[in-house]
Amino acid sequence: MGKSERVGNKCNKIYGSFQDIHASKVLEIQISEILASISDAFYALNSNWEFTYFNREAERLLLHTEAEVLGRNIWEVFPEAVGTPVFEVYERVAATGKPESFEYLFPGDGKWYEINASPSNNGISCYFKNTDVRKRSAEELVRADAEKRRILESIGDAFFTTTGDFVVTYWNARAEDLLGITRQQILGKNLWEVFPDAVNLPSYTHYRRVLDTKESASFEDFYGRWLEVNAHPAGDGLSVFFRDISIKKEAEENLRKAFEEKNTILESIGDAFFAVDHEWTITYWNREAERVLGRSREQVLGTNLWVSYADAVDSDFYRQYHHAMATGSKVTFEEYYPAIEKWFEVSAYPSADGLSVYFK
């Protein structure tokens, strides 16, 4: 800036002042270069909401060049943002002079952004980054976790998880029903402190082994009722599925007793008796059959009748047994067995399991 003194039409003196702005200009250029090179997108707005800066990352994310937006009002460039949270936050930052950070779903591209808005020079400065992948992934994790919980609550099995120190981290509704402990009572607590009387049960040993070997285990245990348990390593802890098999165990016990009773009867009758399945595999051979035919049950059980008694293939035994099996009808006959030089009176009864044969 300068002035001149004139006498008449003649310049008599010129004087003025100037200052060195090299340092500030260099700083301005350096700041501009830094803002252009940072990984975050950045733009600045003045008090009239006009763009005064728009870096390369902002260009890439918002699909506008710096030349297109500088000097223009942000709400004219991005009218779809008017009335949305970003509009409200920017207005508030400008009014209060306090910075704010927030997540924002931009209607213009349907993507999520993390924005940091700060007051500066009668306007605001905004750093932002695209967090759409992270946000979508987090939402997917939430949905997946909700779906996992829905499945674990809907399955028929009881289920729980623990850490490597047996701290319970999940306990579904079926586990509550079977063991009489609610999730509020057990979550975050040590399994064996809640069930101290179970420390001496097979479950304790199996769970320890699963943690040590990282191999799954399936077993049965009794804790007020019979339980079928499947324990699996899960990270550093356990995932355990179990179900009430008391009815099954009762049925098995009744079946065992019935089988023992049947064996007692078959061993006590005076007749010799044996049974075969539909493949002619010998499944039962009583003591009288051992005595009469001279072969122990250890020798014949699990063998094919016509392999063990190949000399009877062309006999009436063979024909009658096959007839009974084929027709599902009882047969009664007499036949001579040359190998031991004896006549036998035979009754053969077909069943769903094969053929039962009484002879004497």
Side-chain angles (χ1 to χ4, degrees):
M1 178 181 292
K3 291 184 179 181
S4 64
E5 289 185 359
R6 305 180 70 85
V7 177
N9 292 325
K10 186 176 180 180
C11 179
N12 188 43
K13 183 186 296 184
I14 296 175
Y15 59 93
S17 65
F18 63 91
Q19 60 185 14
D20 184 357
I21 61 169
H22 177 76
S24 62
K25 194 65 178 177
V26 169
L27 180 60
E28 180 183 333
I29 293 172
Q30 289 175 338
I31 291 173
S32 179
E33 289 176 346
I34 291 171
L35 292 175
S37 63
I38 60 175
S39 59
D40 283 0
F42 172 82
Y43 59 74
L45 303 168
N46 63 22
S47 58
N48 294 319
W49 302 106
E50 295 166 340
F51 285 104
T52 59
Y53 194 84
F54 201 80
N55 78 349
R56 285 192 293 269
E57 183 64 6
E59 291 181 321
R60 187 184 73 81
L61 291 181
L62 298 180
L63 304 179
H64 284 279
T65 66
E66 183 180 49
E68 291 173 336
V69 302
L70 287 186
R72 295 180 61 192
N73 185 286
I74 184 175
W75 311 124
E76 293 176 358
V77 177
F78 300 107
E80 59 269 53
V82 175
T84 68
V86 72
F87 182 91
E88 297 169 2
V89 172
Y90 285 4
E91 290 277 1
R92 190 163 56 244
V93 169
T96 64
K98 295 180 180 180
E100 291 193 32
S101 299
F102 60 102
E103 288 186 316
Y104 175 59
L105 179 63
F106 179 39
D109 58 13
K111 294 179 180 178
W112 282 95
Y113 293 90
E114 181 183 281
I115 303 176
N116 294 281
S118 303
S120 66
N121 297 327
N122 297 319
I124 63 172
S125 298
C126 302
Y127 295 85
F128 61 101
K129 63 179 68 175
N130 185 314
T131 58
D132 196 64
V133 173
R134 185 183 72 189
K135 185 72 174 179
R136 304 291 182 190
S137 297
E139 290 174 348
E140 284 300 318
L141 284 175
V142 170
R143 280 194 289 270
D145 186 63
E147 178 65 9
K148 180 193 75 173
R149 290 177 181 274
R150 185 192 67 77
I151 292 171
L152 292 175
E153 292 302 323
S154 64
I155 60 175
D157 286 359
F159 174 78
F160 67 86
T161 59
T162 75
T163 66
D165 296 325
F166 292 108
V167 174
V168 178
T169 55
Y170 192 85
W171 190 264
N172 78 350
R174 186 60 179 146
E176 291 182 318
D177 294 339
L178 285 185
L179 297 181
I181 297 292
T182 67
R183 65 191 71 193
Q184 290 78 14
Q185 292 173 305
I186 197 168
L187 288 181
K189 296 180 181 177
N190 185 281
L191 182 67
W192 310 117
E193 291 178 359
V194 179
F195 298 102
D197 51 344
V199 171
N200 296 320
L201 296 179
S203 292
Y204 183 86
T205 303
H206 284 294
Y207 292 167
R208 283 284 185 189
R209 186 176 297 119
V210 171
L211 287 175
D212 292 340
T213 65
K214 300 300 181 184
E215 295 179 357
S216 298
S218 297
F219 58 94
E220 294 178 357
D221 203 354
F222 185 81
Y223 190 76
R225 65 184 78 200
W226 277 103
L227 301 172
E228 179 183 87
V229 185
N230 292 282
H232 307 279
D236 294 329
L238 289 173
S239 292
V240 180
F241 297 83
F242 60 101
R243 64 181 64 181
D244 185 352
I245 57 168
S246 298
I247 294 176
K248 173 188 170 186
K249 293 294 285 187
E250 183 180 355
E252 288 177 350
E253 179 62 16
N254 291 337
L255 185 62
R256 184 190 65 79
K257 290 179 179 178
F259 188 73
E260 287 182 353
E261 184 178 353
K262 183 192 80 170
N263 285 351
T264 300
I265 293 171
L266 291 175
E267 293 301 327
S268 64
I269 60 175
D271 289 357
F273 172 84
F274 69 85
V276 296
D277 64 16
H278 290 283
E279 302 299 323
W280 301 103
T281 300
I282 299 171
T283 58
Y284 197 87
W285 193 265
N286 77 350
R287 281 194 297 268
E288 185 63 8
E290 289 181 313
R291 187 189 69 78
V292 171
L293 296 178
R295 295 192 189 182
S296 69
R297 66 189 69 194
E298 289 76 19
Q299 290 176 295
V300 297
L301 286 181
T303 67
N304 184 281
L305 178 65
W306 307 118
V307 172
S308 294
Y309 290 93
D311 54 349
V313 169
D314 292 325
S315 70
D316 208 29
F317 294 113
Y318 185 91
R319 289 185 291 273
Q320 293 285 355
Y321 293 167
H322 275 78
H323 177 75
M325 192 84 83
T327 64
S329 302
K330 168 192 172 183
V331 296
T332 300
F333 62 96
E334 293 180 353
E335 175 65 316
Y336 181 74
Y337 185 40
I340 57 175
E341 299 179 345
K342 289 183 179 179
W343 279 92
F344 290 100
E345 180 184 287
V346 184
S347 295
Y349 300 86
S351 70
D353 297 323
L355 196 67
S356 298
V357 180
Y358 298 82
F359 60 100
K360 56 184 175 182

